[in-house]
Structure formats: structure tokens, C-alpha cells
Amino acid sequence: MEHQLTVYNTLNRRKELFVPLHAPHVGMYVCGPTVYGDPHLGHARPSITFDLLFRYLKHLGYKVRYVRNITDVGHLEHDADEGEDKIAKKARLEQLEPMEVAQYYINRYHRAMDALNVLPPSIEPHASGHIIEQEELVKKIIDNGYAYLSEGSVYFDVAKYNKDHRYGKLSGRNLDDVLNTTRELDGQEEKRNPADFALWKKAQPEHIMRWPSPWSDGFPGWHCECTAMGKKYLGAHFDIHGGGMDLVFPHHECEIAQAVASQGDDMVRYWMHNNMITINGQKMGKSLGNFITLEEFFTGSNKLLAQAYTPMTIRFFILQAHYRSTVDFSNEALQAAEKGLARLMDAIRGLDKVVPAATSTVDAKSLRAKCHEAMNDDLNSPIVIAHLFDGAKMVNNILAGNDSITADDLHELKETFHLFSFDILGLKEDNASNEAREAAFGKVVDMLLDERAKAKANKDWATSDKIRNELTALGFEIKDGKEGSEWKLNK
């Protein structure tokens, strides 16, 4: 590989050279949504971050198997071991079968991802479809002595595990801190230790989602699914596990503990986490109720929004920040992103208008190398965008006649813009901006026909005929009627 990609590994808290276990194959697992509500801006961040990584790895020539799961069972309220299943609760409130709730929000999630131009993963496994694999995982952990049965539920024995291995190595917490901060919830007396987490929960009589197991009729713990499905589709050791920073503890910490307790070592080589989207400095999330759904952004139907924002404006807004920095939502920032994206797209369209010259007074060659260098530095998309803006200035100067470019350099510039803007950053021409252009273009034609009507009223046949003939020459068909003129463009 000519390009040396480095990624920040949360486990070691530093950037490391990316070396796949089985090049050219790369295995990547990313935690997907818990489908009990509409996808919001907080969901767009990991999906766009890991889409960027997926696209770039493929560009580098790797064959990537990208697994992104759907959590449709086992994720209880407050991410705890007590309370209702988030999906079952929604189903109860809406008097629906839980899988109807899950399917409805899966469909909406997919529609939003398509709008954001997020590529579908290679495999999208559902937690409810992998109960047997999760039961097998729990059996192994029990057999290895790191879990215990209590009143039909199975809990992971954190203290026992911590004697032999380090619990907390991903999040940097030590077990004493965990014990002191774990809230004493009702019903936790069946655990030996408040920090122990459920691997299998016995279902209460009113619990709809349940499966038979050697321990009880119940359902798997939230953390089991990713360990079981990661292993099934990517093997006992794979390259990358990603997700939001809010999953480092407890979710990913517990995943490491489950992997080590079941097979002796962790499955994952590089742990990667995107930072949060904040709103007035507080994390945006469903549990906090301060989120703005993606559909509300696309339609402008939320009181916090000054206008509607296109999916590409949202994508560009997210890519303008490095994935490990927080992004604070504001209308001003989104409006700036909208203008920046328009500037970039105008420059890309402007490339088609450039007439090559005998010499180049611009350095088109170095742009691609600079963009690659930024991507190789832990996916530094804001720097890539800054370089593309420099390229846009170059294009504008050539169009203004201040600079010139040869045919070869122009070809190189076009390729670089298309590669980084479309293939790697995953931007595309927004339908909305195309529609806006077409609407503007329609208004111009209407304006010309109004001028023609005025000319006819003033018996200025020369002007009237000139407008008609020039529009006809451009491919417009003009029909004069009693109510005025109508037009259509014969494409």
C-alpha cells in the first residue's frame, strides 16, 4: 500500500499505523441503532464517520467486510439491567408487536442513511436473529468461570474477571471507581456486585420478547449481541470496532470482558470512537429528549431550526469537524456549511467550463497528495475540505482569467475533486439544489416570456420574434394561447 493510514486507537490512546490482520481483507464492526425512535443527528455522526472510513479503506484497495448491527432486543432503559426493553416499551405504548416497531424504525433509518449517501454495510445482522449465538457465548463464559446464575438470570462476575484480567482498560476506569459510581438500582440484589452486568435476563411474565435458554425463558443482555455477531461474521480476531464515544463504557468495555472471558483474548485490534454532537453543550440523545430528527432537518419542522437543511448540508457539516472532536449544533454553523458546500459544488461544475491553455500557472498536482496525507492522518476530513477549498480558489482564478491550466493538469484536478468530494467524502449533488436551480431557471424563462408579452402589447414585433426565436434555438417549445404563453424544454 502506497498510503500509510494511521488511526487513533482508543485502547492505547494514540494514533497507530493501520496494519490489517489478513490484508487485503479488513473486518470492521460498528454498533448500529437501537430501533425504537426516529434517527437523529446523533445517529448521523457514527454512520457518516464510519462510512468515510469504509470508503477510504476501499479506495486504498482493501476488501472490506463491514458489519453494522441493528439492536432490536435486550437494550433496557437507562442502558441498565433493570427496567423495560426500549423497543418493547414503545410497542406497549403503541399497542404494536415489538417487531413492527423495530421494522418501522429500521425502514426510516435506512431512508435517512440513503439520503445522507451512507453506503449500506456488507452485513446488517439483527440481535433478535442471533439468540443462539448469544446463548453459546454465555455458556462459554459460564464454563470459564466468569459468570454465575442468579434467579434465572446470568450475570458476568466483574470482580472475578478483574483478578485475572483488567476490567476498565478501554475506558481507563478502575474497578473501585466503577463500584462507587454504579447506582444501586431496585432489583440489583440478585447480583453479587453492582458492577456485574447481565448476560441473560429472565423475562418477567409481562415481557413480550423472550426465548428459551438453559437458564430461563428470557432474553440476552445488551452487550452480548455485538460480541456474538462480531465473532460470527468477522472471526475471533478482527481489525476495527467502531461506535460513538458514549459506548466506550459500559458497552464496549463489557464487550472486551466478554471476549476475553469466552476465548482468552480480545477480538478487536483497533477500537475507534467518534465524538458526540452537542446541543447547547449537552450531548444530543434520545434518552435526553433534546434531539432533532434527521427528517426534521430535511423538512425544517423543528422549532430549533431556522430553515430546512439538505442531507448533503448535514453530511458536509459533520465532515467539517474531525470525527474525534465534538460538534455543537447551531443554525449558524449549518448555514455556513450550506454556503461552503455550495462553493465547493460550484467549483466542481466550474471545472467543466475551463478552457485548457499551453501552460499552467497553478499547482494542480500537489492537491491529491495533500488530500491523501490528511486522510491518512486519522481521517482528517476538515483538512481535506480545506485543501479542496484551495482547489476551488484555483478553479475560480482560472475562470476569472487570472491563471491558466494545461489539459493534463485540468484532467488531474477534475480527478482529484471527484475522488475526494464524491468517492471518499461521499458528497453528491443534492436533489434540492438541482431543484432550486431548475426553479430559478424556470423563473428566468417566465421572465423572458413576460418581456415578450409586453413587446407584443407594444406591437414591438422585432423584440417579440427575437425572444421567441432564441428560445426555440435553445430547444424551448413556445405555445401562445389566450391566457398567455406556455413553454416546455425539449431535452
Side-chain angles (χ1 to χ4, degrees):
M1 297 282 159
E2 50 173 321
H3 300 295
Q4 297 291 297
L5 170 64
T6 59
V7 296
Y8 184 88
N9 190 348
T10 308
L11 195 59
N12 303 323
R13 290 170 180 63
R14 61 167 187 262
K15 288 182 201 175
E16 296 179 350
L17 193 61
F18 177 68
V19 183
L21 291 165
H22 308 291
H25 298 277
V26 170
M28 171 161 111
Y29 188 102
V30 175
C31 290
T34 298
V35 283
Y36 69 101
D38 264 335
H40 59 71
L41 194 62
H43 293 116
R45 185 110 199 242
S47 51
I48 290 169
T49 296
F50 293 101
D51 186 54
L52 178 69
L53 178 58
F54 184 33
R55 287 168 178 272
Y56 194 58
L57 288 169
K58 290 202 296 187
H59 162 67
L60 294 180
Y62 292 115
K63 293 180 169 61
V64 188
R65 180 179 289 173
Y66 175 16
V67 181
R68 187 187 68 206
N69 68 299
I70 294 279
T71 297
D72 56 358
V73 66
H75 193 168
L76 303 187
E77 295 174 286
H78 317 300
D79 302 347
D81 286 334
E82 294 305 319
E84 246 184 305
D85 183 294
K86 292 183 176 191
I87 289 149
K89 180 180 181 179
K90 185 87 174 172
R92 178 173 60 74
L93 295 174
E94 305 208 356
Q95 295 186 308
L96 294 169
E97 156 70 36
M99 284 303 138
E100 274 181 287
V101 171
Q103 191 64 55
Y104 176 80
Y105 289 113
I106 289 165
N107 295 346
R108 290 173 73 81
Y109 177 75
H110 285 156
R111 276 206 293 278
M113 292 306 113
D114 286 346
L116 292 167
N117 206 22
V118 168
L119 299 173
S122 323
I123 305 176
E124 191 175 54
H126 293 207
S128 62
H130 296 78
I131 302 294
I132 291 169
E133 289 83 353
Q134 293 174 76
E135 290 186 10
E136 290 304 311
L137 173 73
V138 177
K139 282 179 196 164
K140 280 205 182 72
I141 296 173
I142 293 174
D143 290 348
N144 292 343
Y146 293 112
Y148 57 91
L149 185 60
S150 172
E151 298 177 33
S153 292
V154 180
Y155 291 100
F156 190 94
D157 192 335
V158 171
K160 169 93 190 296
Y161 172 84
N162 197 51
K163 283 198 186 82
D164 305 332
H165 309 279
R166 183 170 161 230
Y167 180 77
K169 65 179 185 176
L170 184 69
S171 59
R173 302 183 183 211
N174 70 44
L175 195 54
D176 295 338
D177 293 346
V178 175
L179 295 180
N180 293 335
T181 55
T182 307
R183 287 170 306 164
E184 290 284 355
L185 291 168
D186 295 339
Q188 282 204 338
E189 54 278 4
E190 57 185 63
K191 297 182 185 185
R192 291 178 186 167
N193 187 316
D196 293 351
F197 56 90
L199 296 172
W200 185 265
K201 284 290 287 178
K202 180 182 179 177
Q204 298 308 310
E206 67 279 6
H207 201 94
I208 324 172
M209 299 163 90
R210 55 171 69 223
W211 289 265
S213 81
W215 315 290
S216 62
D217 268 14
F219 53 93
W222 173 39
H223 311 302
C224 286
E225 58 179 284
C226 294
T227 308
M229 294 190 289
K231 188 170 189 160
K232 181 177 174 87
Y233 296 111
L234 299 172
H237 299 100
F238 57 88
D239 300 299
I240 298 166
H241 193 321
M245 222 172 252
D246 53 338
L247 297 177
V248 172
F249 187 87
H251 189 48
H252 291 165
E253 196 72 77
C254 295
E255 276 192 59
I256 292 177
Q258 289 168 162
V260 175
S262 63
Q263 66 177 38
D265 58 358
D266 187 13
M267 299 196 290
V268 180
R269 170 78 181 83
Y270 303 92
W271 284 92
M272 294 178 70
H273 295 92
N274 62 274
N275 213 320
M276 300 292 96
I277 299 252
T278 57
I279 179 160
N280 304 324
Q282 186 187 33
K283 174 196 153 182
M284 183 182 281
K286 278 201 286 240
S287 51
L288 297 165
N290 64 349
F291 60 91
I292 303 172
T293 71
L294 290 168
E295 191 169 303
E296 286 170 340
F297 275 102
F298 303 159
T299 57
S301 59
N302 182 304
K303 62 182 185 302
L304 296 171
L305 299 175
Q307 62 177 83
Y309 298 97
T310 67
M312 281 307 106
T313 299
I314 299 291
R315 186 175 179 111
F316 192 69
F317 168 66
I318 286 172
L319 290 169
Q320 271 187 312
H322 189 267
Y323 77 91
R324 287 193 291 114
S325 62
T326 54
V327 171
D328 197 49
F329 154 81
S330 72
N331 280 289
E332 294 72 32
L334 278 162
Q335 286 158 352
E338 186 175 59
K339 286 194 183 78
L341 178 61
R343 205 163 87 220
L344 189 59
M345 289 300 168
D346 284 345
I348 293 172
R349 281 193 294 274
L351 282 165
D352 294 333
K353 300 183 199 128
V354 169
V355 179
T359 56
S360 279
T361 59
V362 293
D363 178 10
K365 293 258 190 304
S366 68
L367 186 65
R368 186 186 303 228
K370 284 179 186 160
C371 290
H372 269 130
E373 193 185 330
M375 281 302 294
N376 287 336
D377 181 17
D378 192 29
L379 311 180
N380 204 330
S381 57
I383 300 294
V384 174
I385 290 169
H387 291 319
L388 291 174
F389 278 149
D390 290 342
K393 272 193 208 110
M394 216 184 274
V395 176
N396 294 336
N397 277 327
I398 295 164
L399 287 172
N402 305 332
D403 277 310
S404 63
I405 190 166
T406 63
D408 280 357
D409 281 358
L410 178 60
H411 179 70
E412 165 73 16
L413 200 54
K414 276 185 180 173
E415 281 204 330
T416 301
F417 263 107
H418 279 256
L419 171 65
F420 283 94
S421 305
F422 301 144
D423 299 351
I424 292 171
L425 293 179
L427 300 167
K428 63 177 183 182
E429 282 280 6
D430 245 325
N431 287 340
S433 58
N434 284 339
E435 283 160 18
R437 270 207 304 284
E438 281 177 19
F441 155 88
K443 281 185 183 135
V444 172
V445 180
D446 289 340
M447 205 161 69
L448 280 169
L449 290 176
D450 280 350
E451 290 304 313
R452 182 168 165 261
K454 280 181 198 155
K456 279 169 76 175
N458 295 333
K459 301 194 166 37
D460 177 358
W461 309 118
T463 304
S464 149
D465 289 349
K466 181 172 191 272
I467 293 174
R468 183 189 185 111
N469 294 343
E470 294 204 358
L471 282 172
T472 307
L474 290 170
F476 288 93
E477 196 179 307
I478 311 292
K479 279 200 178 128
D480 291 326
K482 284 197 187 86
E483 302 295 315
S485 303
E486 287 182 358
W487 62 270
K488 71 172 189 196
L489 179 56
N490 295 321
K491 288 187 178 164

